[in-house]
Amino acid sequence: MSKYSKRMIFNGVIALLAVVLMITVAVLCKDAELSEKATRTVTFAFTEFFGRISSAVPFSVFETLAFIAAAVALFLIIKGIVMLAKRQPARGLCSFTTLIATVLAVVSVYMLDTSFAYNRQKPPLEIYKNGDLTDEELLDATNDFMQDFILLSSEIERDNDGFPVCDYSVSELSELIVAEYEKLKGDYYCDYVPEAKGMAFSAIMSESYLTGITFTPIGEANVNKETPVSSLIFTIAHETAHAVGIMREEDANLMAAYVLINSDNDLLRYSAMYNYFDRMLWIMYYLDKDAYEDYASWYDSSLVKREIKAEKAFWETKGAFNAISDFFNNIYLKLNGQDLGTDSYVDSNFSDADPSEPDDDGNVTYALTLSDIQLAFVTRYHNG
């Protein structure tokens, strides 16, 4: 038996073990209780160990590994084709089996570290539940939120494009956000919170409409440095949530919104408001149309509208690879149990307004079901 045949057998064994591990994880992670335990042990262990190592490196380890992986994959493919063309089938097939075994091994480790976290319990945040507050209390909290948002939006220094002036680097912003995460208590959260890193290939990320990516096996969150600042801050907080084992997109958004809205740092708090103020106005729309119209009138001439317009203009120049990235991200999320796919990023998919029958005067009232993010904001402003 030639050495290439032996290598193919070895590759086959590795591939088989990887597939067995993938199937085992896929089956076991359906159990929510087991998933919670696995996340707090396996996933946290990866983050505690590899996260500390990757954090010690000043550049993105994920980007480096991805570049090396792409180069090796291309080399093996070319080598396999060349060997087959030279009628050396053993050597050619050996290259392809090496590539397949390596890919399956990486995917199996990724699933072992990540898949359980998609099926764990929701974050145990101290926020109100639907029905805890009266409509009047919801309105008061929403009004306080908007008043704070209006004040912040007018006080924050802005550049010529309308974006908030930010003197912090990605690393410095991440330090601030990590400090907010470290305020969270309980064994639901990983003890070690890694800092996010700006990506060298941010331009490619922009063309894919991607603002961040986290490779959990190495406990590293990466963000697109080109992202306009208010969204960049929220992205850092979102990817940090992934890095510590909070994988469902709606939960990562919730964690990001929660830590930012409860921060004493005006820029961090403004980021949460900027990304979700429309969701708070949604509450007011159903409970007090006049107040809603007043805030809508303010928005039409506000600095916030100018900032949103500037951000929209930025993204309109990007997106060459958006269709491809969105397609694969949608599939990835659905394979991990997020039935909404990329729609799981959209908070409006987690709230509802149930209208009553009109009364004798034709008036309709609404029973609101708020999303967790709306409840987090309401909690912050109802509690003062």
Side-chain angles (χ1 to χ4, degrees):
M1 182 181 293
S2 69
K3 63 179 181 179
Y4 298 109
S5 296
K6 291 179 180 179
R7 287 180 187 174
M8 281 190 282
I9 292 174
F10 176 77
N11 291 337
V13 171
I14 295 297
L16 178 61
L17 292 175
V19 170
V20 170
L21 178 58
M22 291 162 63
I23 294 173
T24 301
V25 170
V27 172
L28 293 179
C29 72
K30 301 301 181 183
D31 185 320
E33 184 176 350
L34 177 60
S35 292
E36 187 63 40
K37 292 179 179 178
T39 301
R40 299 188 188 199
T41 52
V42 178
T43 304
F44 286 4
F46 270 88
T47 302
E48 286 278 0
F49 184 76
F50 292 106
R52 294 180 186 276
I53 294 174
S54 61
S55 294
V57 180
F59 53 84
S60 170
V61 175
F62 168 74
E63 275 190 302
T64 304
L65 292 176
F67 180 81
I68 293 173
V72 171
L74 182 61
F75 169 77
L76 289 173
I77 291 171
I78 293 174
K79 180 181 178 181
I81 294 173
V82 170
M83 291 300 104
L84 290 176
K86 290 183 176 181
R87 298 185 179 181
Q88 299 181 36
R91 293 186 66 181
L93 291 174
C94 185
S95 290
F96 288 119
T97 57
T98 298
L99 176 60
I100 293 171
T102 302
V103 170
L104 291 175
V106 171
V107 171
S108 66
V109 172
Y110 182 86
M111 286 185 63
L112 176 64
D113 174 68
T114 306
S115 293
F116 290 109
Y118 274 101
N119 296 278
R120 68 186 306 206
Q121 301 166 11
K122 293 186 69 64
L125 299 177
E126 294 182 359
I127 59 177
Y128 288 115
K129 295 181 176 62
N130 279 291
D132 285 349
L133 300 178
T134 65
D135 287 353
E136 183 178 355
E137 289 172 324
L138 289 178
L139 276 172
D140 286 344
T142 302
N143 184 67
D144 288 347
F145 170 95
M146 287 303 301
Q147 290 300 315
D148 192 21
F149 181 48
I150 291 172
L151 180 63
L152 277 180
S153 67
S154 64
E155 290 181 344
I156 288 176
E157 182 182 359
R158 297 176 183 270
D159 61 20
N160 293 332
D161 294 320
F163 295 119
V165 172
C166 180
D167 296 326
Y168 298 111
S169 64
V170 169
S171 177
E172 290 169 334
L173 283 172
S174 186
E175 286 181 12
L176 294 175
I177 292 169
V178 166
E180 299 296 337
Y181 268 92
E182 289 176 341
K183 294 177 183 178
L184 301 172
K185 304 301 181 183
D187 55 6
Y188 181 89
Y189 310 102
C190 185
D191 289 336
Y192 180 69
V193 185
E195 293 180 11
K197 298 177 182 177
M199 301 185 73
F201 290 96
S202 288
I204 295 177
M205 295 283 286
S206 294
E207 295 299 338
S208 302
Y209 279 172
L210 294 175
T211 56
I213 187 168
T214 298
F215 191 64
T216 53
I218 60 173
E220 184 179 74
N222 295 269
V223 296
N224 175 356
K225 295 184 294 185
E226 293 186 349
T227 305
V229 61
S230 295
S231 294
L232 173 63
I233 292 170
F234 193 87
T235 298
I236 293 173
H238 176 100
E239 298 301 330
T240 300
H242 285 328
V244 295
I246 301 170
M247 293 307 301
R248 287 190 299 269
E249 299 302 340
E250 64 268 26
D251 289 347
N253 281 341
L254 170 61
M255 290 304 305
Y258 182 86
V259 299
L260 294 176
I261 199 63
N262 286 289
S263 173
D264 292 328
N265 183 293
D266 288 347
L267 191 59
L268 298 192
R269 197 165 74 258
Y270 174 78
S271 172
M273 294 175 156
Y274 171 84
N275 280 276
Y276 287 109
F277 77 92
D278 60 321
R279 301 294 294 131
M280 296 300 283
L281 285 179
W282 179 91
I283 300 173
M284 193 159 280
Y285 175 82
Y286 287 105
L287 298 183
D288 188 339
K289 287 289 200 305
D290 291 337
Y292 171 82
E293 293 296 337
D294 288 341
Y295 284 121
S297 178
W298 161 80
Y299 171 72
D300 284 339
S301 59
S302 70
L303 295 172
V304 176
K305 183 175 182 179
R306 183 187 178 201
E307 181 182 354
I308 290 175
K309 185 177 180 180
E311 180 163 355
K312 181 180 178 182
F314 168 80
W315 289 114
E316 284 176 346
T317 65
K318 312 296 180 181
F321 311 131
N322 176 52
I324 298 173
S325 65
D326 186 69
F327 174 79
F328 284 107
N329 192 24
N330 192 50
I331 291 176
Y332 166 77
L333 291 174
K334 289 185 176 181
L335 287 175
N336 279 285
Q338 296 218 249
D339 295 336
L340 292 176
T342 51
D343 284 342
S344 58
Y345 291 100
V346 183
D347 189 60
S348 59
N349 288 319
F350 302 95
S351 61
D352 192 21
D354 185 25
S356 67
E357 291 294 328
D359 61 20
D360 293 339
D361 297 323
N363 298 316
V364 177
T365 58
Y366 293 86
L368 301 184
T369 300
L370 304 187
S371 71
D372 287 337
I373 289 176
Q374 289 171 313
L375 290 168
F377 289 162
V378 166
T379 300
R380 163 68 174 80
Y381 284 89
H382 179 69
N383 291 339

